[in-house]
Amino acid sequence: MLVAVWILMVIHWGSALVGLFAFVHALLQRADAYSAADRKTKPIWMLITGVATVALVLFPLQGDGVGFIFWVPAMVAALVYIVDVRPKLIEVQRGHRNW
């Protein structure tokens, strides 16, 4: 039982770090890069990743399981930013290269 608690704690704080990374990355990007990448605006992504980070910190996977209802969409939102929006922003800001 103790091992399961530790595993859930690592997942909880790891997911909070993922959310924080997404929020900080969204914060540091230029506002015009979002429209150039054909994604939602910077304030919208700041709101999405900020709320996701707060939810990932406040709702652990342990306990009664109610937090899972909030944890899953928050994790999905942070991961969508990381795997979809972030690469497009990087591509737009660096310029597309055809090697």
Side-chain angles (χ1 to χ4, degrees):
M1 182 74 171
L2 184 62
V3 174
V5 171
W6 278 101
I7 290 171
L8 288 174
M9 189 181 310
V10 167
I11 291 171
H12 170 69
W13 290 112
S15 65
L17 288 174
V18 168
L20 183 62
F21 173 78
F23 177 74
V24 169
H25 189 273
L27 175 69
L28 296 176
Q29 302 309 301
R30 296 186 343 232
D32 62 335
Y34 288 89
S35 59
D38 198 28
R39 297 299 185 254
K40 297 191 183 308
T41 64
K42 181 176 182 172
I44 290 174
W45 279 110
M46 294 285 301
L47 180 66
I48 291 170
T49 57
V51 170
T53 302
V54 170
L56 290 170
V57 170
L58 292 179
F59 299 107
L61 296 173
Q62 304 168 0
D64 57 4
V66 175
F68 192 71
I69 295 170
F70 299 103
W71 185 87
V72 169
M75 192 66 201
V76 168
L79 290 176
V80 163
Y81 179 84
I82 290 172
V83 301
D84 181 46
V85 178
R86 182 176 174 266
K88 291 292 186 183
L89 292 175
I90 291 170
E91 180 181 323
V92 163
Q93 292 180 47
R94 287 187 183 162
H96 185 67
R97 298 180 183 152
N98 291 323
W99 292 79

